[in-house]
Amino acid sequence: MILNRETAGARWRIRPDGPDKVTGKLAYLTDLAAPGMLHGRVLRSRYPHARILAIRTERAAALPGVRAVLTWRDVPGLNAFGIARQDQPVFCFDRVRFVGDAVAAVAAETPEIAERALELIEVDYEPLPVLDTPEKALAEDAPRLHPQGNVLHRNEYRRGDCDAAFAACAWVVEETYCTPRQMHTYLETEGGLFVPEPDGRLTVYAPTQHGLLDRLQLARILAVPEDRIRVVSSPIGGSFGGKDELNIQPYGALLALASGRPVKIHNSRRESVRAGLKRHPMTIAMKTGIDASGRLLAHRVRIIADTGPYATLGAEVLNFATEHAIGPYRYATIDVESVSVYTNNGMSGEFRGFGGNQAIFALEGQMDRLAERIGMDPWEFRLINLRRMGDPGPFRQRIAQTDGAYQVWQRLKESPLWREREAARSGGPPAASEDADGANGADGANGADGTNGAGGANGADGANGAGGANGADGAGGANGAGGANGADGANGAGGANGADGASGAGGADGSGGANGAGDANGADGASRPPWVHVGYGAAMVMHGFGLGYGIPDPAAGRLRLAEDGRIEAIFGYEEFGQGLLATIETLMVETFGIAPDDLRIICGDTDRVPDSGSSTASRTTAMIWQSLRRMEEPFRRKLLGAAAGMLGRPAGGLRLGPGGVTDAEGGAPLVRYAEIAAKAAEPIAAGTQFHFPVSDTDRIGAHFLYSYAAAAVKVEVDLLTGRVRVLNQYHAVAAGPVVNPQGYVGQIEGGAGMALGYALMEDAIMENGRYLTGNLDTYLIPTIADLGGNVAVEPIEDLPEGDPYGPRGIGEIGSVGLAPAIAEAVRDATGVRVNRLPIDPALLICPPEKLWKAVSGP
């Protein structure tokens, strides 16, 4: 059943923070101010790579209105930070490694004075060679960016003899995929307010996804005990992983303590681009082979990730990509090697999907290419290779078993969007595409020497283009000589995969119309001009959640009846727009039968919460559910026991209800929660602490729990402009029970919107270590105009009987599958296969003379 407001019924709740957000009343942390507040600014490097010869701050310090000027000499503790590896300097002192490196910081009475003070700081640099690609950084003669060299991390996984397996393959596809440096583009850029308290403590109001870890890192930098720092980390105006690592916090904290006054720092968008995290660009080479029946025999992967100048969680992202480059499929043999490389480019780090987006784009591209090679429907090809319930994980580790992979496959096949695709093909399905000697990858791949494969592309002696397929002057009958696959040359009227071989222009998949034009591919095609083609694509996703084996991943929660009668749900997570508050409210209301007004949710304050772990890795909902499962019985027993003592009735005849404790049959409260709190002889509370479930493996980062998804998409491609428009989407998601229907749909829709940008437009372009896309006037993200069309989300809530783990995470999985699905839909519409994101419109433009022939006919 499709999940939406109507089908969810009464479970579709108004978010607790919703009204204040939509009316603008909610104060985000970067909206805060304090009396006597100073304004902080950070001086960042002028060069992507240089030696620091001298830093002179005297002129800045003498400027009226300046209250503090700091450099590395003013850091009392550790002059470095990083979640996993503390290799990023708070202030650089000997060398800068990227344009976002901090050299000094100032606090002044006004923002203008602070900016002027930065201009007065003099830094002498000696520029050094810029390593702006991983390949340059891996060269033997490359300068070492860190004492240990330019490799942050390597990973590998092998099973069986791949070379022997490739020799036995009937079909082999090789391709190299490239993915972009994507920005998080949260509405609220990095910032915060830092307040020295009268008792000597420091209160930090700054967005983060793990307040207790920020507290730990700041304590190291400031050389103070952790309990001397309070971090308030919610509410947040978006994060997507980008605020998981420290950003402005060290500078605000140091300036506040140095000046003795509150300090506010709030990055401009340009500064956020310059210094903030981005998604890791990756180059992924895959070679995958199958037998004559389509079974996967060999899978070889080589991944190179650009982690930028410092580690943050680059090693962990690489581990995740390594795992998910194997994905939800069965292989006879596997050979994966990966490396994360330091460069002088911008910082790469945590981002929704965490390396899975890059890996799945490449892996699903391989599945589509292999299906084409063997002449099999790509969705059916996936089925015969899909891992099933009872199988181990990608590393053959023990995992929590579900049938999620098959379930999402089946639901997508039965979806209206996929049935529409099948109906569009019923008039003339494409001919089987075969080439035994290296099509679509080896010896002339995708157009080299005019063929989509050596010796006649994707078919013997010129099928899919006689004498030059997929664009190379291959007139004379596409995908079948002289008019196969449709009357009079349908799927190429008078030309290969389109007029004269122009990748689909002029009449694809339908007589007289290109994949939708002229009433092809659906009734709505009649209104499309012949240069607008329609295509369909789909992709499978498996996504591990939690941090994985070998990484501390605590969970905890507390329930408490407060003095005023409110039931407090206390968790160490952060609300950054993902719907945390709504999820906790829904779980509490449905678990205990109370009213929302009976509840007080406490999160995002290190003075008040337990160590629940990070608000990352799609783990939060699952951990809250498991925490409440542990706390429900003891808390209910204590609360009903106190009420029973007051009422002189057996606790078994009572239950919790809206406003207070009622008779077991319901009705008005017999005693209100406030009365129980006032008269209770002892505190009524329950707590829990445990570790996220992990597999009994020795593979660091390997997962135990997975979610599964299948995404289908319908696009149209304008061959005049090369622009791609997404028309409709379908997402099947197998992640256990739906806790918060509104949040569930929102996560999948929002993730898909981010994936659409990843596929079609987003790339933080760098040249020689400098951003060319420094603001949102040059870095484009999807708008409401790009996100039209229907987005159908179908949750699959079934779990095996006795499963103790409950809801799986869905915060990231919606951002993974749409990009490869779009890539396949573009190929379906145009015949052009892409191996690089975002898709370059120039690749899809048909030459005007060929379009004219297609439109006007012979």
Side-chain angles (χ1 to χ4, degrees):
M1 180 175 66
I2 300 301
L3 182 62
N4 53 41
R5 184 173 192 144
E6 288 71 34
T7 59
R11 297 194 72 222
W12 193 277
R13 302 177 185 278
I14 295 175
R15 290 172 55 148
D17 53 348
D20 284 352
K21 284 186 172 180
V22 299
T23 59
K25 293 180 180 178
L26 182 69
Y28 290 95
L29 298 173
T30 50
D31 293 326
L32 302 181
M37 179 180 77
L38 299 174
H39 298 269
R41 292 291 186 273
V42 178
L43 180 68
R44 301 196 182 271
S45 173
R46 193 182 312 158
Y47 298 98
H49 192 202
R51 186 172 288 111
I52 296 175
L53 304 178
I55 306 172
R56 294 178 293 277
T57 62
E58 295 81 5
R59 293 174 63 204
L63 184 68
V66 171
R67 299 293 175 250
V69 181
L70 306 179
T71 67
W72 64 273
R73 297 181 187 278
D74 303 297
V75 179
L78 179 67
N79 184 34
F81 62 92
I83 292 175
R85 182 181 301 193
Q86 295 75 53
D87 65 351
Q88 182 168 358
V90 176
F91 291 116
C92 293
F93 58 94
D94 60 344
R95 185 158 53 147
V96 291
R97 295 175 177 85
F98 86 120
V99 293
D101 260 332
V103 178
V106 302
E109 297 289 348
T110 68
E112 295 77 14
I113 295 173
E115 293 286 354
R116 176 57 180 156
L118 292 186
E119 295 172 359
L120 295 176
I121 297 173
E122 301 169 84
V123 184
D124 296 337
Y125 294 100
E126 177 190 336
L128 297 171
V130 175
L131 304 179
D132 60 354
T133 68
E135 291 73 20
K136 288 182 182 179
L138 290 172
E140 288 187 9
D141 59 349
R144 296 164 71 92
L145 297 181
H146 293 275
Q148 73 275 19
N150 296 339
V151 171
L152 164 64
H153 181 60
R154 293 185 185 272
N155 199 351
E156 61 182 40
Y157 177 73
R158 292 182 177 85
R159 187 173 74 243
D161 186 344
C162 260
D163 288 334
F166 277 123
C169 286
W171 305 94
V172 175
V173 164
E174 289 188 81
E175 187 61 274
T176 298
Y177 302 86
C178 300
T179 63
R181 179 178 284 104
Q182 186 181 23
M183 294 189 197
H184 301 77
T185 329
Y186 23 69
L187 287 178
E188 178 195 43
T189 57
E190 304 88 350
L193 178 67
F194 303 82
V195 182
E197 302 292 355
D199 62 0
R201 297 184 78 210
L202 176 70
T203 300
V204 175
Y205 301 93
T208 179
Q209 291 181 233
H210 197 174
L212 285 161
L213 189 55
D214 278 20
R215 187 180 72 173
L216 170 63
Q217 293 211 70
L218 288 174
R220 291 173 180 159
I221 294 166
L222 301 177
V224 299
E226 286 186 59
D227 62 10
R228 305 300 292 165
I229 302 170
R230 175 191 179 199
V231 176
V232 178
S233 51
S234 292
I236 304 169
S239 182
F240 313 113
K243 296 171 184 171
D244 192 24
E245 183 62 89
L246 291 182
N247 42 78
I248 52 81
Q249 292 93 332
Y251 313 108
L254 287 164
L255 289 168
L257 293 182
S259 65
R261 288 170 59 179
V263 173
K264 181 173 183 175
I265 300 181
H266 192 185
N267 281 348
S268 66
R269 181 65 63 181
R270 191 171 296 278
E271 179 123 354
S272 177
V273 171
R274 182 178 183 178
L277 303 181
K278 312 292 183 295
R279 191 184 297 284
H280 282 78
M282 292 188 187
T283 300
I284 304 177
M286 286 189 173
K287 180 180 179 181
T288 313
I290 54 176
D291 64 16
S293 68
R295 304 283 177 178
L296 291 164
L297 296 185
H299 186 50
R300 176 168 286 151
V301 184
R302 298 295 182 264
I303 302 173
I304 300 176
D306 181 349
T307 203
Y310 304 110
T312 186
L313 292 182
E316 290 72 19
V317 169
L318 189 74
N319 290 344
F320 197 96
T322 302
E323 177 181 16
H324 289 73
I326 300 169
Y329 303 111
R330 296 168 169 168
Y331 310 87
T333 64
I334 297 173
D335 175 9
V336 184
E337 292 181 6
S338 57
V339 60
S340 189
V341 184
Y342 289 117
T343 69
N344 295 124
N345 289 323
M347 283 287 295
S348 299
E350 305 86 278
F351 200 144
R352 187 183 206 171
F354 207 73
N357 314 68
Q358 300 93 317
I360 295 296
F361 169 66
L363 179 62
E364 291 299 286
Q366 290 294 95
M367 298 302 115
D368 287 324
R369 286 161 171 79
L370 286 164
E372 182 181 55
R373 188 68 55 80
I374 198 173
M376 185 180 294
D377 178 88
W379 204 240
E380 298 297 329
F381 175 80
R382 286 168 169 83
L383 178 63
I384 66 172
N385 290 292
L386 202 61
R387 194 178 295 120
R388 299 299 180 88
M389 188 170 176
D391 286 351
F395 296 132
R396 301 197 70 81
Q397 80 273 24
R398 184 177 64 88
I399 63 174
Q401 292 293 329
T402 76
D403 204 20
Y406 175 73
Q407 289 171 326
V408 299
W409 183 92
Q410 185 66 34
R411 294 293 178 89
L412 186 141
K413 180 179 172 62
E414 296 170 352
S415 69
L417 183 56
W418 210 242
R419 289 201 303 268
E420 178 186 321
R421 169 196 182 259
E422 297 305 307
R425 278 152 178 71
S426 62
S433 165
E434 297 185 358
D435 181 286
D437 191 20
N440 225 349
D443 300 325
N446 264 339
D449 299 325
T451 67
N452 210 9
N458 268 338
D461 298 323
N464 204 5
N470 262 346
D473 295 328
N479 256 339
N485 234 349
D488 299 322
N491 205 8
N497 222 354
D500 293 337
S503 276
D509 274 350
S511 177
N515 246 351
D519 208 29
N521 255 348
D524 61 342
S527 62
R528 291 190 181 89
W531 54 83
V532 175
H533 290 201
V534 168
Y536 300 82
M540 283 287 301
V541 181
M542 66 172 292
H543 192 84
F545 70 103
L547 303 185
Y549 172 80
I551 303 171
D553 201 359
R558 289 200 300 264
L559 297 176
R560 172 179 176 267
L561 182 65
E563 291 76 6
D564 63 356
R566 292 289 188 98
I567 297 173
E568 294 181 341
I570 309 167
F571 295 96
Y573 303 115
E574 283 77 26
E575 170 62 72
F576 45 83
Q578 82 277 37
L580 172 72
L581 300 182
T583 295
I584 295 174
E585 180 183 274
T586 298
L587 283 170
M588 290 293 294
V589 167
E590 294 182 354
T591 299
F592 292 105
I594 62 177
D597 288 345
D598 298 324
L599 179 65
R600 178 183 296 119
I601 300 170
I602 297 173
C603 65
D605 184 340
T606 58
D607 274 9
R608 305 178 69 187
V609 301
D611 185 2
S612 301
S614 64
S615 301
T616 61
S618 302
R619 67 188 294 279
T620 306
T621 296
M623 293 301 92
I624 294 170
W625 185 90
Q626 291 195 32
S627 295
L628 289 178
R629 197 164 178 259
R630 289 166 164 81
M631 295 188 292
E632 177 187 359
E633 190 279 329
F635 183 73
R636 187 191 302 274
R637 174 169 38 81
K638 291 177 183 179
L639 188 48
L640 290 179
M646 294 174 61
L647 296 169
R649 298 176 56 169
L654 303 174
R655 76 178 202 188
L656 306 183
V661 173
T662 73
D663 184 89
E665 303 301 321
L670 302 174
V671 58
R672 297 197 170 273
Y673 296 125
E675 298 175 67
I676 300 173
K679 297 181 180 179
E682 57 184 29
I684 298 173
T688 186
Q689 189 168 3
F690 57 101
H691 195 276
F692 192 95
V694 294
S695 182
D696 49 355
T697 179
D698 58 358
R699 293 286 310 189
I700 299 297
H703 290 82
F704 179 66
L705 293 172
Y706 292 88
S707 303
Y708 298 87
V713 66
K714 176 182 179 182
V715 307
E716 65 177 21
V717 183
D718 187 326
L719 297 179
L720 291 176
T721 65
R723 296 297 176 184
V724 179
R725 187 162 71 97
V726 173
L727 302 177
N728 285 305
Q729 302 175 41
Y730 169 83
H731 299 264
V733 184
V738 174
V739 173
N740 171 10
Q742 185 190 57
Y744 196 107
V745 173
Q747 286 292 336
I748 302 303
E749 287 185 348
M754 188 167 277
L756 186 150
Y758 189 55
L760 298 180
M761 62 188 72
E762 295 190 49
D763 189 3
I765 300 169
M766 302 199 77
E767 186 176 280
N768 200 32
R770 299 180 186 275
Y771 283 102
L772 302 184
T773 47
N775 210 330
L776 296 183
D777 54 351
T778 50
Y779 184 90
L780 303 181
I781 63 173
T783 68
I784 194 169
D786 304 297
L787 298 174
N790 183 56
V791 181
V793 178
E794 183 170 6
I796 299 168
E797 301 187 70
D798 305 337
L799 290 173
E801 185 176 354
D803 177 274
Y805 305 110
R808 275 51 167 169
I810 53 99
E812 297 171 277
I813 199 168
S815 72
V816 179
L818 194 68
I822 289 173
E824 174 59 14
V826 166
R827 186 223 56 86
D828 187 45
T830 68
V832 176
R833 284 211 178 275
V834 297
N835 60 0
R836 179 183 295 269
L837 298 180
I839 297 171
D840 184 356
L843 298 175
L844 311 181
I845 295 174
C846 184
E849 64 274 13
K850 295 180 180 179
L851 274 178
W852 174 250
K853 290 180 183 180
V855 173
S856 58

